[in-house]
Amino acid sequence: MFRYVLLEIRRTLRDGAFLIFGTGMPVMMYLIFTNIGGEDVDGWKTASMVGMAAYGALGSAMSIGTGVASDKSLGWLQQLRVTPLAPTHAVVGRAISGSVTVLPTILTVLLAGGLVNGVRMAVWQWAALILLLWIGALPFTMLGLGNGYRLTPQGTGVVNIACLTGFAVVGGLWFPLELLPEWLRSVGRFTPANRFADLGWAVTDGHSPGVTTVGVLCGWLLLFGTYAVISYRRSARTV
Amino acid sequence: MRLCRGGSGLRSVVCMTQTTGNGAAVVFTGAVKTFGRAGQRVRAVDGIGLTVERGETVALLGRNGAGKSTAISLLLGLNEPDAGTVRVLGRTPDQAVRAGLVGAMLQEGQPIPRVTVQELIAFVASTYPRPMPVAGALDLAGVTEYANRRIDKLSGGQLQRVRFAVALAGNPELIVLDEPTAALDVEARHTFWDSMRAYARRGNTVIFSTHYLEEADENADRIVVVDRGRIVADGSGEAIKTAAGHSQVSFDLAGRSTEGLELLPGVVTFEVTGDRAVLHTEDSDATVVELARLNAIRGLQVSQASLEAAFLTLTAPAAGASRPEKEAV
């Protein structure tokens, strides 16, 4: 599996356009959003930094699926499927190699926050934030992969955006959960994007994420991971 | 186990009987694979029974859409049969692939972007338990020259050889090649088959599909003719020719009467053009000996049936068969 991770990382790093677009967009959005209004109200630059880093991480995590979908259309997945590489290893390996695009996205937004917008936090908070956002994006990587193994490149793009938007709304990333109806609010707290963002909010509030948050995210990871493995196994079918 | 099912007359002549042992490389038993939605279903593989022994080189010969690629997808575990079973080296196809016993060169497949030949082969080799040295695989497939080039920058012929290297890299016991020479020119084809035979000589089993008759005849120990998802003939190239086509014996009549020609040993039919008689015979040797005895040997010529003719005879649309013709991929 290690060799597979290496191979896919090499392939990703050679795709300059993908890297620049993937990591460049969130940081640009962050800088624009936090510098249009002028004043820093209620730690908006910090909150927005976490939000944008999280959003960027989700976006790049899921976009790995688009790459996988085009690999499938090239026949690469089929070729991979007739090597002894086990489906679980193929999926986990692809998720790990995909993380190399997630990390720079998080880093550039946080760098912009610290260097350009003067956000100040303790060193452990920076470190924890990077690590948690990086690892916490894994369920979304799995979801993106599952879609990519199953759908065409175009289909994957559309479904990914639908998933991302849906999770962002229901999870309270775009506006607070309090604005949603009661029943949706209680559901919202168990959605992956909400718990994912909670990782970041916990860190900026200065405490470690709750056990439920970690537990719920692990549950989603398992669910989406299974979806990805099943989709991978089906992906090589010729009809 | 009987290798061919159904059919009548010619169609079943070349079927062979073999025993199914655990030692067999590949065993198809009544395998069926149907595609498409209700109302337009196509039986791409329609009850294939086939045993390939270890060390054999077998060609699956058939037209486009005959079901070769589908049979191969079943063999590799990419698709699962709707009915029947497929066993590879005593396991399910999936298990055999996972155990590193199988290497495959797939028909579809564009270059994987942003990887060099060397990187790809090294990776594929690393997934197998007992791979051949990477340099060895590159060499055997004849791609050493451009090992450091990116695969998406190669020509069609070069790419085809890289895919052969992918199939070889793990040093598998069974190698499966789906239309391996499709993109190759004559010379590259020659080189390819040399490499393939070198690999087969190491005691490995090779199964390849092709729609080139000569390729099957020259490179396989055994030809399995597939048509409309069924096996219509199975045997050596020679056996198939003999079974499906008649040899022709022709000679100058030199005024001789044509009476009784159809009674000569082996002769099935005959025709006369001008002063020359053409006998279609099942046993050209016996026919010639008899003609010699009759001293009717002026301008005597014997021509063997071509594999081409045999193939056409075997795969000619059977009466009443009106299944939808569809490309089965």
Side-chain angles (χ1 to χ4, degrees), chain A residues 145-150 226-236:
Chain A
L145 284 179
N147 291 338
Y149 287 138
R150 193 168 283 259
T226 311
Y227 168 64
V229 172
I230 293 173
S231 302
Y232 172 75
R233 293 181 61 98
R234 290 171 49 105
S235 69

Side-chain angles (χ1 to χ4, degrees), chain B:
Chain B
M1 177 190 165
R2 229 173 120 60
L3 288 183
C4 310
R5 1 170 325 143
S8 59
L10 265 185
R11 280 158 193 277
S12 56
V13 173
V14 227
C15 294
M16 295 160 52
T17 302
Q18 282 190 0
T19 46
T20 309
N22 279 337
V26 172
V27 183
F28 280 76
T29 313
V32 175
K33 181 69 193 172
T34 318
F35 291 155
R37 302 224 160 86
Q40 243 205 322
R41 297 196 73 81
V42 177
R43 289 167 85 86
V45 167
D46 193 6
I48 282 190
L50 173 70
T51 301
V52 175
E53 298 299 335
R54 291 183 194 222
E56 269 190 301
T57 298
V58 174
L60 294 180
L61 175 65
R63 305 178 168 135
N64 286 331
K68 308 184 295 288
S69 290
T70 307
I72 282 176
S73 77
L74 296 178
L75 175 57
L76 295 173
L78 294 174
N79 289 312
E80 286 188 9
D82 300 328
T85 57
V86 181
R87 304 285 289 174
V88 177
L89 295 158
R91 302 148 212 245
T92 66
D94 213 37
Q95 288 165 342
V97 166
R98 209 71 71 68
L101 302 172
V102 183
M105 178 169 171
L106 302 170
Q107 186 180 0
E108 289 177 40
Q110 287 155 290
I112 311 145
R114 306 183 301 278
V115 181
T116 69
V117 175
Q118 165 95 32
E119 284 164 3
L120 177 69
I121 303 306
F123 159 68
V124 171
S126 77
T127 63
Y128 283 81
R130 287 170 302 278
M132 64 169 76
V134 173
L138 295 175
D139 196 44
L140 191 53
V143 296
T144 312
E145 215 179 306
Y146 38 90
N148 290 317
R149 286 181 49 195
R150 272 171 56 165
I151 292 174
D152 42 2
K153 307 269 193 264
L154 299 179
S155 74
Q158 291 172 326
L159 179 63
Q160 197 78 342
R161 287 197 229 171
V162 169
R163 288 165 51 204
F164 184 48
V166 165
L168 294 173
N171 199 19
E173 213 182 310
L174 167 68
I175 192 165
V176 180
L177 315 163
D178 197 2
E179 305 263 354
T181 58
L184 300 182
D185 59 34
V186 177
E187 198 188 327
R189 210 169 268 187
H190 211 72
T191 324
F192 171 84
W193 287 117
D194 282 347
S195 312
M196 201 282 299
R197 280 195 298 261
Y199 193 76
R201 270 197 300 275
R202 301 180 179 190
N204 296 303
T205 313
V206 178
I207 297 179
F208 68 89
S209 71
T210 181
H211 52 258
Y212 299 115
L213 302 152
E214 289 152 41
E215 215 166 73
D217 196 26
E218 284 166 20
N219 300 294
D221 307 328
R222 180 175 153 203
I223 300 175
V224 174
V225 182
V226 180
D227 192 44
R228 294 158 217 237
R230 290 165 182 264
I231 293 176
V232 293
D234 180 346
S236 67
E238 209 48 50
I240 288 176
K241 282 182 222 169
T242 321
H246 299 140
S247 307
Q248 295 182 5
V249 176
S250 54
F251 64 99
D252 291 336
L253 283 168
R256 192 184 291 268
S257 145
T258 58
E259 205 176 316
L261 281 182
E262 74 276 11
L263 299 175
L264 292 171
V267 171
V268 184
T269 60
F270 72 94
E271 64 219 40
V272 177
T273 355
D275 193 34
R276 205 161 165 77
V278 181
L279 313 176
H280 298 261
T281 170
E282 284 174 337
D283 185 349
S284 55
D285 291 349
T287 311
V288 169
V289 167
E290 185 60 15
L291 285 175
R293 204 184 58 78
L294 297 172
N295 200 21
I297 52 169
R298 188 194 289 187
L300 185 78
Q301 270 188 341
V302 179
S303 58
Q304 294 300 325
S306 71
L307 195 57
E308 180 95 36
F311 178 69
L312 289 174
T313 313
L314 287 165
T315 61
S322 60
R323 292 169 355 95
E325 286 284 339
K326 192 181 162 187
E327 184 79 5
V329 239

